[in-house]
Amino acid sequence: MKSSRLLSILLLLQTRGRMTAAELAAELEVSARTVYRDVESLHAAGVPLYGDAGHSGGYRLLAGYRTRLTGLNAGEAEALFLSGAPGPAAELGLGPALAAAQLKLRAALPQELREQADRMRTRFHLDAPGWYAADAEVPFLPQVADAVWNGRVLDVRYRRWKEPTDVDRRLEPYGLVLKAGRWYAVAGPGPRTYRVDQILELAVTEESFEIPADFDLAEHWRRSQEDFHARLYAGEAEVRLSPRGAARLTGAVAVAFEATAVAEDGGWRRAVLPTESVEQAHAFFLSLGTDVEVLAPPHLRALLATTTRTLSATYTPPPS
């Protein structure tokens, strides 16, 4: 544990430059006192690590000092190769760079770790899109990525779902997110989220921009997903479900079922489930057939009753 933490301190200082004991402690989730002891251990090992006092002080490595990858354990080496996603990297125009980086990393590993990393790469393959999702053409992804790297403003023609469908937008692309096989650009002003495959035309301008200092892409995406799900499931329905019907629930609906379910006779359970809209709920509960009974709201139950009567009339054979 301590050896791993010492290596982490070296890599943090190597990549970020000067850091205070408080910053290192927060990054490593330890106390500042632990950081002080670790720094003393690094000093004793001959690492050229220096500390400066004062308001702008902190720890830093001697200019030009670099640690080697000898501190990697087997799990870390395997994880590094598993994290390399060749498909998304190629879409970003970074396929050759990823291959070169993995080659250099492999060459730097000891023989035993190299064999374990190779085994990991041959045993696992990442395929993010769902089974029934067609691969979307994303012709402007490399240009958007380049604008993200270089802080360039984009003028785009964008297709959205509501009228008017095709609109012109000036985007300051803060970052890219790959979600379920689709690329999304998070861009100012706002920021707002745009599907990259819905960009119809694109021009890279000479205008530059600065990402707000307090913007964190991962945190922004997490909050936006929470907001999306809060808006998505605006209603709820009280239902009874058979064991087979309950087994077909997925995602947030399955979570809500487990949180609210009350056992009834015959293995059935009563629960309150989130719904997007009356239309969506109507279609979903019809798909469960006789494995569900909707108890409330009354208008949804009435709509399902009308539909089942219509289906019954449609499939009832005429009298002979």
Side-chain angles (χ1 to χ4, degrees):
M1 180 67 177
K2 180 178 180 179
S3 60
S4 175
R5 193 171 63 244
L6 294 179
L7 179 61
S8 295
I9 291 176
L10 283 177
L11 293 175
L12 284 168
L13 294 176
Q14 184 173 302
T15 55
R16 300 189 187 180
R18 189 191 309 270
M19 294 183 70
T20 65
E23 290 170 337
L24 288 167
E27 188 72 31
L28 300 172
E29 298 182 349
V30 297
S31 67
R33 186 180 297 275
T34 299
V35 171
Y36 296 142
R37 289 198 297 265
D38 289 344
V39 168
E40 291 177 0
S41 297
L42 290 170
H43 273 304
V47 175
L49 178 64
Y50 297 91
D52 297 323
H55 178 71
S56 59
Y59 294 109
R60 61 185 177 87
L61 292 168
L62 181 68
Y65 177 83
R66 289 291 183 270
T67 187
R68 297 172 181 254
L69 289 174
T70 53
L72 285 176
N73 60 37
E76 292 164 344
E78 292 170 356
L80 281 172
F81 278 93
L82 185 61
S83 66
E91 291 178 345
L92 289 170
L94 297 175
L98 174 63
Q102 288 188 332
L103 182 62
K104 292 176 181 178
L105 173 60
R106 184 180 182 278
L109 292 173
Q111 179 65 29
E112 180 182 353
L113 295 187
R114 189 183 310 159
E115 292 174 356
Q116 289 183 249
D118 287 344
R119 186 162 56 251
M120 174 66 74
R121 187 167 50 182
T122 60
R123 299 293 197 277
F124 294 92
H125 175 70
L126 174 64
D127 185 12
W131 280 106
Y132 304 105
D135 292 337
E137 295 292 330
V138 197
F140 295 111
L141 180 60
Q143 292 95 316
V144 175
D146 187 70
V148 171
W149 311 145
N150 297 297
R152 292 293 184 184
V153 172
L154 298 173
D155 288 331
V156 304
R157 185 77 171 167
Y158 184 76
R159 176 160 293 166
R160 59 183 185 174
W161 64 270
K162 62 181 180 180
E163 295 289 343
T165 56
D166 296 355
V167 293
D168 295 322
R169 291 287 184 265
R170 174 190 176 278
L171 304 184
E172 299 174 357
Y174 295 172
L176 284 164
V177 175
L178 179 61
K179 170 75 171 181
R182 294 193 185 278
W183 286 99
Y184 297 86
V186 178
R192 301 179 65 182
T193 301
Y194 300 85
R195 272 180 52 174
V196 180
D197 63 335
Q198 295 301 301
I199 295 177
L200 307 177
E201 301 174 14
L202 178 146
V204 181
T205 73
E206 293 299 318
E207 184 182 355
S208 60
F209 67 92
E210 293 291 335
I211 298 177
D214 60 349
F215 177 77
D216 181 284
L217 180 60
E219 178 63 18
H220 169 82
W221 186 258
R222 184 190 64 79
R223 290 198 308 268
S224 67
Q225 292 294 287
E226 289 179 350
D227 293 342
F228 171 77
H229 286 293
R231 295 193 306 271
L232 180 65
Y233 295 111
E236 60 183 28
E238 184 181 1
V239 303
R240 295 178 65 247
L241 280 164
S242 72
R244 185 171 61 177
R248 294 177 59 186
L249 303 180
T250 61
V253 178
V255 173
F257 175 78
E258 293 300 332
T260 63
V262 176
E264 294 191 341
D265 294 339
W268 284 62
R269 288 193 282 175
R270 181 189 297 251
V272 177
L273 304 182
T275 59
E276 297 179 29
S277 63
V278 173
E279 294 78 10
Q280 177 273 336
H282 172 256
F284 174 67
F285 291 131
L286 277 179
S287 72
L288 296 180
T290 57
D291 290 310
V292 65
E293 179 189 358
V294 174
L295 305 174
H299 60 275
L300 176 58
R301 182 179 172 90
L303 181 60
L304 287 164
T306 299
T307 302
T308 53
R309 284 195 295 268
T310 302
L311 288 171
S312 177
T314 300
Y315 290 103
T316 299
S320 55

